[in-house]
Coordinates of all heavy atoms in Angstrom, one line a residue:
M549 N -225.8 -210.5 86.6 CA -225.6 -209.6 85.5 C -224.4 -208.6 85.9 O -224.4 -208.0 87.0 CB -226.8 -208.8 85.3 CG -227.4 -209.0 83.9 SD -229.0 -208.3 83.7 CE -228.5 -206.5 83.5
T550 N -223.5 -208.5 85.0 CA -222.4 -207.5 85.2 C -222.9 -206.1 84.7 O -223.3 -206.1 83.5 CB -221.1 -207.9 84.5 OG1 -221.4 -209.1 83.7 CG2 -220.0 -208.2 85.5
P551 N -222.8 -205.1 85.5 CA -223.1 -203.8 85.0 C -222.2 -203.4 83.9 O -221.0 -203.6 84.0 CB -223.1 -202.9 86.2 CG -222.3 -203.6 87.2 CD -222.2 -205.1 86.8
Q552 N -222.7 -202.8 82.9 CA -221.8 -202.3 81.8 C -221.1 -201.0 82.3 O -221.7 -200.2 83.1 CB -222.7 -202.0 80.6 CG -223.0 -203.2 79.8 CD -223.6 -202.9 78.5 OE1 -224.4 -201.9 78.3 NE2 -223.1 -203.6 77.4
N553 N -220.0 -200.8 81.8 CA -219.3 -199.6 82.1 C -220.0 -198.4 81.5 O -220.4 -198.4 80.3 CB -217.9 -199.6 81.4 CG -216.9 -200.5 82.2 OD1 -217.1 -200.8 83.4 ND2 -215.8 -200.9 81.6
P554 N -220.3 -197.4 82.3 CA -221.0 -196.2 81.8 C -220.2 -195.5 80.8 O -218.9 -195.5 80.9 CB -221.3 -195.4 83.0 CG -220.3 -195.8 84.0 CD -219.9 -197.2 83.7
V555 N -220.8 -194.9 79.8 CA -220.1 -194.1 78.8 C -220.1 -192.7 79.4 O -221.1 -192.1 79.7 CB -220.9 -194.1 77.5 CG1 -220.2 -193.2 76.4 CG2 -221.1 -195.5 77.0
M556 N -218.8 -192.2 79.6 CA -218.7 -190.9 80.2 C -218.5 -189.8 79.2 O -217.8 -190.0 78.2 CB -217.4 -191.0 81.1 CG -217.5 -192.1 82.2 SD -219.0 -192.0 83.2 CE -218.4 -190.8 84.4
R557 N -219.1 -188.7 79.4 CA -219.0 -187.5 78.5 C -218.8 -186.3 79.4 O -219.2 -186.2 80.5 CB -220.3 -187.4 77.7 CG -220.4 -188.4 76.6 CD -219.4 -188.3 75.5 NE -219.6 -189.3 74.4 CZ -218.9 -190.4 74.4 NH1 -218.1 -190.7 75.3 NH2 -219.1 -191.3 73.4
I558 N -218.3 -185.3 78.8 CA -218.0 -184.0 79.5 C -219.1 -183.0 79.2 O -219.5 -182.8 78.1 CB -216.6 -183.5 79.1 CG1 -215.5 -184.4 79.6 CG2 -216.4 -182.1 79.8 CD1 -214.2 -184.1 79.0
C559 N -219.6 -182.4 80.3 CA -220.6 -181.3 80.1 C -219.8 -180.1 79.5 O -218.8 -179.7 80.0 CB -221.2 -180.9 81.5 SG -222.1 -179.4 81.5
I560 N -220.4 -179.5 78.5 CA -219.7 -178.4 77.8 C -219.7 -177.1 78.7 O -218.9 -176.2 78.5 CB -220.3 -178.0 76.4 CG1 -221.7 -177.6 76.5 CG2 -220.0 -179.1 75.4 CD1 -222.2 -176.7 75.4
S561 N -220.5 -177.1 79.7 CA -220.6 -175.9 80.6 C -219.6 -176.0 81.8 O -218.7 -175.2 81.9 CB -222.0 -175.6 81.0 OG -222.1 -174.4 81.7
C562 N -219.8 -177.0 82.6 CA -219.0 -177.1 83.8 C -217.7 -178.0 83.6 O -216.9 -178.0 84.5 CB -219.8 -177.7 85.0 SG -220.5 -179.3 84.7
R563 N -217.7 -178.6 82.4 CA -216.5 -179.5 82.1 C -216.3 -180.6 83.0 O -215.2 -181.2 83.1 CB -215.2 -178.6 82.1 CG -215.2 -177.3 81.3 CD -215.5 -177.4 79.9 NE -214.5 -178.2 79.2 CZ -214.6 -178.6 77.9 NH1 -215.7 -178.3 77.2 NH2 -213.7 -179.3 77.3
K564 N -217.3 -181.0 83.7 CA -217.2 -182.2 84.6 C -217.7 -183.4 83.8 O -218.5 -183.3 82.8 CB -218.1 -182.1 85.8 CG -217.6 -181.2 86.9 CD -218.4 -181.2 88.1 CE -218.2 -180.0 89.0 NZ -219.4 -179.5 89.6
T565 N -217.2 -184.6 84.2 CA -217.5 -185.8 83.5 C -218.7 -186.5 84.1 O -218.7 -186.6 85.4 CB -216.3 -186.7 83.5 OG1 -215.1 -186.0 83.0 CG2 -216.5 -187.9 82.6
Y566 N -219.6 -186.9 83.3 CA -220.8 -187.6 83.8 C -221.1 -188.8 83.0 O -220.7 -188.9 81.8 CB -222.0 -186.7 83.7 CG -222.0 -185.5 84.6 CD1 -221.5 -184.3 84.1 CD2 -222.5 -185.6 85.9 CE1 -221.5 -183.1 84.9 CE2 -222.5 -184.4 86.7 CZ -222.0 -183.2 86.2 OH -222.0 -182.1 87.0
D567 N -221.9 -189.7 83.5 CA -222.4 -190.8 82.8 C -223.3 -190.2 81.7 O -224.1 -189.3 82.0 CB -223.3 -191.7 83.8 CG -223.8 -192.9 83.1 OD1 -224.0 -192.9 81.9 OD2 -224.1 -193.9 83.8
R568 N -223.2 -190.7 80.5 CA -223.9 -190.1 79.4 C -225.4 -190.1 79.6 O -226.2 -189.2 79.1 CB -223.6 -190.9 78.1 CG -224.1 -190.3 76.8 CD -223.6 -191.1 75.6 NE -224.1 -192.4 75.6 CZ -223.9 -193.3 74.6 NH1 -223.1 -193.0 73.7 NH2 -224.4 -194.5 74.7
K569 N -225.9 -191.1 80.4 CA -227.4 -191.2 80.7 C -227.9 -189.9 81.4 O -229.0 -189.7 81.4 CB -227.7 -192.4 81.5 CG -227.5 -193.7 80.7 CD -228.2 -194.8 81.4 CE -227.5 -195.4 82.6 NZ -226.3 -196.2 82.3
N570 N -227.0 -189.3 82.1 CA -227.4 -188.1 82.9 C -227.1 -186.8 82.2 O -227.2 -185.7 82.9 CB -226.6 -188.2 84.3 CG -227.0 -189.4 85.1 OD1 -228.1 -189.8 85.0 ND2 -226.0 -189.9 85.7
L571 N -226.9 -186.9 81.0 CA -226.6 -185.6 80.2 C -227.6 -185.5 79.1 O -228.2 -186.5 78.6 CB -225.2 -185.7 79.6 CG -224.0 -185.7 80.6 CD1 -222.8 -186.2 79.9 CD2 -223.8 -184.4 81.2
L572 N -227.9 -184.2 78.7 CA -228.7 -184.0 77.6 C -227.7 -183.9 76.4 O -226.8 -183.1 76.4 CB -229.5 -182.7 77.7 CG -230.4 -182.3 76.5 CD1 -231.6 -183.3 76.4 CD2 -230.9 -180.9 76.7
K573 N -228.0 -184.6 75.3 CA -227.2 -184.6 74.2 C -227.8 -183.7 73.1 O -229.0 -183.9 72.8 CB -227.0 -186.1 73.6 CG -226.1 -186.2 72.4 CD -226.2 -187.6 71.9 CE -225.3 -187.8 70.7 NZ -225.7 -189.0 69.9
I574 N -227.1 -182.8 72.6 CA -227.6 -182.0 71.5 C -226.7 -182.3 70.3 O -225.5 -182.2 70.3 CB -227.5 -180.5 71.9 CG1 -228.3 -180.2 73.1 CG2 -228.0 -179.6 70.7 CD1 -227.6 -179.4 74.1
T575 N -227.4 -182.7 69.2 CA -226.6 -183.1 68.0 C -227.0 -182.2 66.8 O -228.2 -181.9 66.6 CB -226.9 -184.6 67.7 OG1 -226.6 -185.4 68.8 CG2 -226.2 -185.0 66.4
K576 N -226.1 -181.8 66.1 CA -226.3 -181.2 64.8 C -226.3 -182.3 63.8 O -225.3 -182.7 63.3 CB -225.2 -180.1 64.5 CG -225.6 -179.2 63.4 CD -224.4 -178.4 63.0 CE -224.7 -177.7 61.6 NZ -223.4 -177.3 61.0
D577 N -227.5 -182.8 63.5 CA -227.7 -183.9 62.6 C -227.3 -183.5 61.1 O -227.7 -182.4 60.7 CB -229.1 -184.5 62.7 CG -229.2 -185.7 61.8 OD1 -228.9 -186.8 62.4 OD2 -229.7 -185.6 60.7
Y578 N -226.7 -184.4 60.4 CA -226.3 -184.1 59.0 C -227.5 -183.7 58.2 O -227.4 -182.8 57.3 CB -225.6 -185.3 58.4 CG -224.3 -185.7 59.1 CD1 -224.1 -187.0 59.6 CD2 -223.3 -184.8 59.3 CE1 -223.0 -187.4 60.2 CE2 -222.1 -185.1 59.9 CZ -222.0 -186.4 60.4 OH -220.8 -186.8 61.0
N579 N -228.6 -184.4 58.4 CA -229.8 -184.1 57.5 C -230.9 -183.3 58.2 O -231.6 -182.6 57.5 CB -230.4 -185.5 57.0 CG -229.3 -186.3 56.3 OD1 -228.6 -185.9 55.4 ND2 -229.2 -187.6 56.8
Q580 N -231.0 -183.5 59.5 CA -232.2 -183.0 60.1 C -232.0 -181.8 61.0 O -232.9 -181.3 61.6 CB -232.9 -184.1 60.9 CG -233.4 -185.2 60.0 CD -234.0 -186.4 60.7 OE1 -235.2 -186.3 61.2 NE2 -233.2 -187.4 61.0
G581 N -230.8 -181.3 61.0 CA -230.5 -180.2 61.8 C -230.4 -180.5 63.3 O -230.0 -181.6 63.6
L582 N -230.7 -179.6 64.2 CA -230.5 -179.8 65.6 C -231.5 -180.7 66.2 O -232.7 -180.6 66.0 CB -230.5 -178.4 66.3 CG -229.3 -177.6 65.9 CD1 -229.6 -176.1 66.2 CD2 -228.0 -178.0 66.7
M583 N -231.0 -181.7 67.0 CA -231.8 -182.7 67.6 C -231.4 -182.9 69.1 O -230.2 -182.7 69.4 CB -231.7 -184.0 66.9 CG -232.1 -183.9 65.4 SD -232.0 -185.5 64.6 CE -233.8 -185.9 64.8
F584 N -232.3 -183.4 69.9 CA -232.0 -183.7 71.3 C -232.0 -185.2 71.4 O -232.9 -185.9 71.0 CB -233.0 -183.1 72.2 CG -233.0 -181.6 72.2 CD1 -234.1 -180.9 71.6 CD2 -232.1 -180.9 72.8 CE1 -234.1 -179.6 71.6 CE2 -232.1 -179.5 72.8 CZ -233.1 -178.8 72.2
Q585 N -231.0 -185.7 72.1 CA -230.8 -187.1 72.4 C -230.7 -188.1 71.3 O -230.7 -189.3 71.5 CB -232.0 -187.6 73.3 CG -232.2 -186.8 74.6 CD -231.1 -186.9 75.6 OE1 -229.9 -186.7 75.3 NE2 -231.4 -187.3 76.8
K586 N -230.7 -187.6 70.0 CA -230.6 -188.5 68.9 C -229.9 -187.7 67.7 O -229.6 -186.5 67.9 CB -231.9 -189.0 68.5 CG -233.0 -188.0 68.2 CD -234.3 -188.6 68.0 CE -235.4 -187.5 67.8 NZ -236.7 -188.0 67.8
G587 N -229.8 -188.4 66.6 CA -229.2 -187.8 65.5 C -227.7 -188.2 65.3 O -227.1 -188.7 66.2
M588 N -227.2 -188.0 64.1 CA -225.9 -188.3 63.7 C -225.2 -187.0 63.3 O -225.6 -186.3 62.5 CB -225.8 -189.2 62.5 CG -226.4 -190.6 62.8 SD -225.3 -191.6 63.8 CE -224.0 -191.9 62.6
G589 N -224.0 -186.8 64.0 CA -223.3 -185.6 63.6 C -222.5 -185.1 64.8 O -222.3 -185.8 65.8
R590 N -222.1 -183.8 64.7 CA -221.4 -183.2 65.9 C -222.3 -183.0 67.1 O -223.4 -182.5 66.9 CB -220.8 -181.9 65.4 CG -220.0 -181.2 66.4 CD -219.3 -180.0 65.8 NE -218.2 -180.3 64.9 CZ -217.0 -180.5 65.3 NH1 -216.7 -180.4 66.6 NH2 -216.0 -180.9 64.4
S591 N -221.9 -183.5 68.2 CA -222.7 -183.5 69.4 C -222.1 -182.7 70.5 O -220.8 -182.6 70.6 CB -223.0 -184.9 69.9 OG -223.6 -185.6 68.9
A592 N -222.9 -182.2 71.4 CA -222.5 -181.6 72.6 C -223.3 -182.2 73.8 O -224.5 -182.5 73.6 CB -222.6 -180.1 72.6
Y593 N -222.7 -182.3 74.9 CA -223.5 -182.8 76.1 C -223.5 -181.7 77.1 O -222.6 -181.0 77.3 CB -222.7 -184.0 76.7 CG -222.8 -185.2 75.7 CD1 -221.8 -185.3 74.7 CD2 -223.8 -186.2 75.9 CE1 -221.9 -186.4 73.9 CE2 -223.8 -187.3 75.0 CZ -222.9 -187.4 74.0 OH -222.9 -188.5 73.2
I594 N -224.6 -181.7 77.8 CA -224.8 -180.7 78.9 C -225.5 -181.4 80.1 O -226.4 -182.2 79.9 CB -225.5 -179.4 78.5 CG1 -225.5 -178.4 79.6 CG2 -226.9 -179.7 77.9 CD1 -225.6 -177.0 79.1
C595 N -225.0 -181.2 81.3 CA -225.6 -181.8 82.5 C -226.8 -181.1 82.9 O -227.1 -180.0 82.3 CB -224.6 -181.9 83.6 SG -224.3 -180.3 84.4
K596 N -227.6 -181.7 83.8 CA -228.9 -181.1 84.1 C -228.9 -180.1 85.2 O -229.9 -179.8 85.8 CB -229.9 -182.3 84.4 CG -230.1 -183.1 83.2 CD -231.1 -184.2 83.6 CE -230.5 -185.6 83.3 NZ -231.2 -186.7 83.9
S597 N -227.7 -179.7 85.6 CA -227.6 -178.7 86.6 C -228.1 -177.3 86.1 O -227.7 -176.9 85.0 CB -226.2 -178.6 87.1 OG -225.7 -177.3 87.2
K598 N -228.9 -176.7 86.9 CA -229.5 -175.4 86.5 C -228.4 -174.4 86.2 O -228.5 -173.6 85.3 CB -230.4 -174.9 87.5 CG -231.2 -173.7 87.0 CD -232.4 -173.4 87.9 CE -233.3 -172.4 87.1 NZ -233.6 -171.2 87.9
K599 N -227.3 -174.5 86.9 CA -226.2 -173.6 86.8 C -225.7 -173.7 85.4 O -225.2 -172.7 84.8 CB -225.1 -173.9 87.8 CG -224.4 -172.8 88.3 CD -223.5 -173.2 89.5 CE -222.0 -173.0 89.1 NZ -221.2 -174.2 89.0
C600 N -225.7 -174.8 84.8 CA -225.1 -175.1 83.5 C -226.1 -174.6 82.4 O -225.7 -173.9 81.5 CB -224.8 -176.5 83.3 SG -223.3 -176.9 84.1
Y601 N -227.3 -175.1 82.4 CA -228.2 -174.8 81.3 C -228.7 -173.4 81.3 O -229.1 -172.8 80.3 CB -229.3 -175.8 81.1 CG -230.4 -175.9 82.1 CD1 -231.4 -174.9 82.2 CD2 -230.4 -176.9 83.1 CE1 -232.4 -175.0 83.2 CE2 -231.4 -177.0 84.0 CZ -232.4 -176.1 84.1 OH -233.3 -176.1 85.0
S602 N -228.7 -172.7 82.5 CA -229.2 -171.3 82.5 C -228.0 -170.3 82.4 O -228.2 -169.2 82.6 CB -230.1 -171.1 83.7 OG -229.4 -171.4 84.9
D603 N -226.8 -170.9 82.2 CA -225.6 -170.0 82.1 C -225.8 -169.0 80.9 O -226.3 -169.4 79.9 CB -224.4 -170.9 81.8 CG -223.1 -170.2 81.8 OD1 -223.1 -169.0 81.5 OD2 -222.1 -170.9 82.1
S604 N -225.5 -167.8 81.2 CA -225.7 -166.8 80.1 C -224.7 -167.1 78.9 O -225.0 -166.6 77.8 CB -225.4 -165.4 80.7 OG -224.1 -165.3 81.2
K605 N -223.7 -167.8 79.1 CA -222.8 -168.1 78.0 C -223.1 -169.4 77.3 O -222.4 -169.9 76.4 CB -221.4 -168.2 78.6 CG -220.9 -166.8 79.1 CD -219.4 -166.9 79.4 CE -218.9 -165.8 80.3 NZ -219.3 -166.1 81.8
I606 N -224.2 -170.1 77.7 CA -224.5 -171.4 77.2 C -224.7 -171.4 75.7 O -224.2 -172.3 75.0 CB -225.6 -172.1 78.0 CG1 -225.6 -173.6 77.7 CG2 -227.0 -171.5 77.7 CD1 -224.4 -174.3 78.1
K607 N -225.3 -170.4 75.2 CA -225.5 -170.3 73.7 C -224.2 -170.3 73.0 O -224.0 -171.0 72.0 CB -226.4 -169.1 73.4 CG -226.8 -169.1 72.0 CD -227.7 -167.9 71.7 CE -228.0 -167.8 70.2 NZ -228.1 -166.5 69.7
K608 N -223.3 -169.4 73.5 CA -222.0 -169.3 72.9 C -221.2 -170.7 72.9 O -220.6 -171.1 72.0 CB -221.1 -168.2 73.6 CG -221.3 -166.9 72.9 CD -220.3 -165.9 73.5 CE -220.5 -164.5 72.9 NZ -219.8 -163.5 73.6
K609 N -221.3 -171.3 74.1 CA -220.6 -172.5 74.3 C -221.2 -173.6 73.4 O -220.4 -174.4 72.8 CB -220.7 -173.0 75.7 CG -219.8 -172.2 76.7 CD -220.0 -172.6 78.1 CE -219.1 -171.8 79.0 NZ -219.4 -172.1 80.4
L610 N -222.5 -173.6 73.2 CA -223.1 -174.6 72.3 C -222.7 -174.3 70.9 O -222.5 -175.2 70.1 CB -224.7 -174.5 72.5 CG -225.3 -175.4 73.6 CD1 -226.7 -175.1 73.7 CD2 -225.1 -176.9 73.2
Q611 N -222.7 -173.1 70.5 CA -222.4 -172.7 69.1 C -221.0 -173.1 68.8 O -220.7 -173.6 67.7 CB -222.5 -171.2 68.9 CG -224.0 -170.7 68.9 CD -224.2 -169.3 68.5 OE1 -225.2 -169.0 67.9 NE2 -223.2 -168.4 68.8
K612 N -220.1 -173.0 69.8 CA -218.7 -173.3 69.6 C -218.6 -174.9 69.5 O -217.9 -175.4 68.6 CB -217.9 -172.8 70.7 CG -216.4 -172.6 70.4 CD -215.7 -171.9 71.6 CE -214.2 -172.3 71.4 NZ -213.5 -172.2 72.7
A613 N -219.3 -175.5 70.4 CA -219.2 -177.0 70.4 C -219.8 -177.6 69.2 O -219.3 -178.6 68.7 CB -219.9 -177.5 71.7
L614 N -220.9 -177.0 68.7 CA -221.6 -177.6 67.5 C -221.1 -177.0 66.2 O -221.5 -177.4 65.2 CB -223.1 -177.5 67.7 CG -223.7 -178.2 68.9 CD1 -225.2 -177.7 69.1 CD2 -223.7 -179.7 68.7
K615 N -220.3 -176.0 66.3 CA -219.8 -175.3 65.2 C -221.0 -174.8 64.3 O -221.0 -175.1 63.1 CB -218.8 -176.1 64.4 CG -217.5 -176.3 65.1 CD -216.5 -176.8 64.1 CE -215.3 -177.5 64.7 NZ -214.5 -176.6 65.5
T616 N -221.9 -174.2 64.9 CA -223.1 -173.8 64.1 C -223.7 -172.5 64.7 O -223.4 -172.2 65.9 CB -224.2 -174.9 64.0 OG1 -225.1 -174.5 63.1 CG2 -224.9 -175.1 65.4
F617 N -224.5 -171.8 64.0 CA -225.2 -170.7 64.5 C -226.5 -171.1 65.1 O -227.3 -171.9 64.5 CB -225.5 -169.6 63.4 CG -226.3 -168.5 63.9 CD1 -225.7 -167.5 64.7 CD2 -227.6 -168.4 63.6 CE1 -226.5 -166.4 65.1 CE2 -228.4 -167.3 64.0 CZ -227.8 -166.3 64.8
L618 N -226.8 -170.7 66.3 CA -228.1 -171.1 67.0 C -229.1 -169.9 67.0 O -228.7 -168.8 67.4 CB -227.8 -171.6 68.4 CG -226.9 -172.8 68.5 CD1 -226.6 -173.1 70.0 CD2 -227.6 -174.0 67.9
E619 N -230.3 -170.1 66.5 CA -231.3 -169.1 66.6 C -231.7 -168.9 68.0 O -231.6 -169.8 68.8 CB -232.5 -169.6 65.8 CG -232.3 -170.0 64.4 CD -232.1 -168.8 63.5 OE1 -232.4 -167.7 63.8 OE2 -231.5 -169.0 62.4
P620 N -232.2 -167.7 68.4 CA -232.7 -167.5 69.8 C -233.8 -168.5 70.1 O -233.8 -168.9 71.3 CB -233.2 -166.1 69.7 CG -232.6 -165.4 68.5 CD -232.3 -166.5 67.6
E621 N -234.6 -168.9 69.1 CA -235.6 -169.9 69.4 C -235.1 -171.2 69.9 O -235.7 -171.9 70.7 CB -236.5 -170.1 68.1 CG -237.3 -169.0 67.6 CD -236.5 -168.0 66.8 OE1 -235.5 -168.4 66.2 OE2 -236.8 -166.8 66.8
F622 N -233.9 -171.5 69.4 CA -233.3 -172.8 69.8 C -233.1 -172.8 71.3 O -233.3 -173.8 71.9 CB -232.0 -173.1 69.0 CG -231.3 -174.3 69.5 CD1 -231.8 -175.5 69.1 CD2 -230.3 -174.2 70.5 CE1 -231.2 -176.7 69.6 CE2 -229.8 -175.4 71.0 CZ -230.2 -176.6 70.6
I623 N -232.6 -171.7 71.8 CA -232.3 -171.7 73.2 C -233.6 -171.9 74.1 O -233.6 -172.6 75.1 CB -231.5 -170.4 73.6 CG1 -230.1 -170.4 72.9 CG2 -231.3 -170.2 75.1 CD1 -229.2 -171.5 73.3
E624 N -234.7 -171.3 73.6 CA -235.9 -171.5 74.3 C -236.3 -173.0 74.3 O -236.7 -173.5 75.3 CB -237.0 -170.7 73.6 CG -237.0 -169.2 74.0 CD -238.1 -168.4 73.2 OE1 -239.2 -168.9 73.0 OE2 -237.7 -167.3 72.8
I625 N -236.2 -173.6 73.1 CA -236.6 -175.0 73.0 C -235.6 -175.8 73.9 O -236.1 -176.7 74.6 CB -236.5 -175.5 71.5 CG1 -237.5 -174.7 70.7 CG2 -236.8 -177.0 71.4 CD1 -237.2 -174.8 69.2
F626 N -234.4 -175.5 73.8 CA -233.4 -176.2 74.6 C -233.7 -176.1 76.1 O -233.7 -177.1 76.8 CB -232.0 -175.6 74.3 CG -231.0 -175.8 75.4 CD1 -230.4 -177.1 75.5 CD2 -230.5 -174.8 76.2 CE1 -229.5 -177.3 76.5 CE2 -229.6 -175.0 77.2 CZ -229.0 -176.3 77.3
E627 N -234.1 -174.9 76.6 CA -234.4 -174.8 78.0 C -235.6 -175.6 78.4 O -235.7 -176.2 79.4 CB -234.6 -173.3 78.4 CG -233.3 -172.6 78.6 CD -233.4 -171.2 79.1 OE1 -234.5 -170.8 79.4 OE2 -232.4 -170.5 79.1
K628 N -236.6 -175.6 77.5 CA -237.8 -176.4 77.8 C -237.5 -177.9 77.8 O -237.9 -178.6 78.7 CB -238.9 -176.2 76.7 CG -239.8 -175.0 77.0 CD -240.9 -174.9 75.9 CE -241.4 -173.5 75.9 NZ -241.9 -173.1 74.6
E629 N -236.7 -178.3 76.9 CA -236.2 -179.7 76.8 C -235.5 -180.1 78.0 O -235.8 -181.1 78.6 CB -235.3 -179.8 75.5 CG -235.0 -181.2 75.2 CD -236.1 -182.0 74.6 OE1 -237.0 -181.4 74.0 OE2 -236.1 -183.2 74.7
I630 N -234.5 -179.3 78.4 CA -233.7 -179.8 79.6 C -234.5 -179.7 80.9 O -234.3 -180.5 81.8 CB -232.3 -179.0 79.6 CG1 -231.3 -179.9 80.5 CG2 -232.5 -177.6 80.1 CD1 -229.9 -179.6 80.2
T631 N -235.4 -178.7 81.0 CA -236.2 -178.7 82.2 C -237.2 -179.8 82.3 O -237.5 -180.3 83.4 CB -236.9 -177.3 82.5 OG1 -237.5 -176.9 81.2 CG2 -235.9 -176.2 82.9
S632 N -237.8 -180.2 81.2 CA -238.8 -181.2 81.2 C -238.0 -182.6 81.5 O -238.5 -183.4 82.2 CB -239.6 -181.3 79.9 OG -238.7 -181.7 78.9
Y633 N -236.9 -182.7 81.0 CA -236.0 -183.8 81.1 C -235.7 -184.0 82.6 O -235.6 -185.1 83.2 CB -234.8 -183.6 80.3 CG -233.8 -184.7 80.1 CD1 -234.2 -185.9 79.6 CD2 -232.5 -184.5 80.4 CE1 -233.3 -186.9 79.5 CE2 -231.5 -185.5 80.2 CZ -231.9 -186.7 79.7 OH -231.0 -187.7 79.6
N634 N -235.5 -182.8 83.3 CA -235.2 -182.8 84.7 C -236.3 -183.4 85.6 O -236.0 -183.8 86.7 CB -235.0 -181.4 85.1 CG -233.5 -181.1 85.3 OD1 -232.7 -181.9 85.6 ND2 -233.1 -179.8 85.0
D635 N -237.5 -183.3 85.1 CA -238.6 -183.8 85.9 C -238.6 -185.3 86.1 O -239.2 -185.8 87.0 CB -240.0 -183.4 85.2 CG -240.1 -181.9 85.2 OD1 -239.5 -181.2 86.1 OD2 -240.9 -181.4 84.4
Y636 N -238.0 -186.0 85.2 CA -238.0 -187.4 85.3 C -237.0 -187.9 86.3 O -235.9 -187.5 86.3 CB -237.7 -188.1 84.0 CG -238.7 -187.8 82.9 CD1 -238.4 -187.0 81.8 CD2 -240.0 -188.3 83.0 CE1 -239.3 -186.6 80.9 CE2 -241.0 -187.9 82.1 CZ -240.6 -187.1 81.0 OH -241.5 -186.8 80.1
P637 N -237.5 -188.7 87.3 CA -236.5 -189.2 88.3 C -235.5 -190.0 87.6 O -235.7 -190.8 86.6 CB -237.4 -190.1 89.2 CG -238.7 -190.1 88.6 CD -238.8 -189.3 87.4
N638 N -234.3 -189.9 88.0 CA -233.1 -190.4 87.3 C -232.9 -191.9 87.7 O -231.8 -192.2 88.1 CB -231.9 -189.5 87.7 CG -231.0 -189.4 86.6 OD1 -231.1 -190.2 85.6 ND2 -230.0 -188.6 86.7
K639 N -233.9 -192.7 87.5 CA -233.7 -194.1 88.0 C -233.7 -195.1 86.9 O -233.5 -196.3 87.1 CB -234.9 -194.4 89.0 CG -234.7 -193.7 90.3 CD -235.9 -194.0 91.2 CE -235.8 -193.1 92.4 NZ -237.1 -192.9 93.0
G640 N -234.0 -194.7 85.7 CA -234.1 -195.7 84.6 C -235.4 -196.4 84.8 O -236.3 -196.0 85.6
I641 N -235.6 -197.5 84.1 CA -236.8 -198.3 84.1 C -236.6 -199.6 84.9 O -235.7 -200.3 84.6 CB -237.4 -198.5 82.7 CG1 -237.7 -197.1 82.1 CG2 -238.7 -199.3 82.8 CD1 -237.9 -197.1 80.6
Ligands
ZN784 ZN1 -222.6 -179.0 83.7

């Protein structure tokens, strides 16, 4: 089996490039609003480094990347999402 080329995306916080599988994708879906790891629309990627998701400027960066206003509640959900996502060992199935 030939391994597929990973899809590389840039973390909006540290601006480093990562394999998409190792990033949390936040999408402003056309119909359903903000979603994690799915949805169609403008997306932002963020790596799982604590430095990035707990950055005090992360909300501003996300708002800019998604061109939307984010409620304070969103940041709470986002932090829960990315920390729970962190618990899974990064090995795939
Ligand atoms: Zn990062």
Side-chain angles (χ1 to χ4, degrees):
M549 243 171 78
T550 6
Q552 282 192 316
N553 284 340
V555 181
M556 305 304 277
R557 290 288 182 266
I558 296 167
C559 167
I560 59 155
S561 186
C562 60
R563 314 296 301 171
K564 284 186 198 143
T565 308
Y566 293 93
D567 184 333
R568 193 175 60 180
K569 290 199 283 288
N570 298 324
L571 296 161
L572 180 71
K573 181 190 182 194
I574 301 134
T575 302
K576 192 191 168 199
D577 186 83
Y578 298 124
N579 303 310
Q580 297 176 80
L582 292 157
M583 304 184 93
F584 296 104
Q585 304 292 55
K586 55 185 176 191
M588 293 285 290
R590 185 173 284 275
S591 302
Y593 293 84
I594 184 156
C595 74
K596 293 181 240 167
S597 132
K598 190 164 192 232
K599 216 172 114 240
C600 285
Y601 67 76
S602 59
D603 187 330
S604 58
K605 294 186 199 81
I606 196 63
K607 191 180 171 208
K608 269 191 183 164
K609 284 177 182 171
L610 273 171
Q611 290 190 146
K612 206 176 154 201
L614 298 168
K615 293 193 195 297
T616 193
F617 174 77
L618 297 171
E619 305 285 343
E621 294 82 28
F622 174 80
I623 295 300
E624 281 175 40
I625 300 163
F626 160 72
E627 277 183 12
K628 272 186 201 147
E629 188 74 24
I630 200 156
T631 46
S632 67
Y633 188 55
N634 257 331
D635 292 340
Y636 299 110
N638 213 350
K639 285 176 189 155
I641 299 166

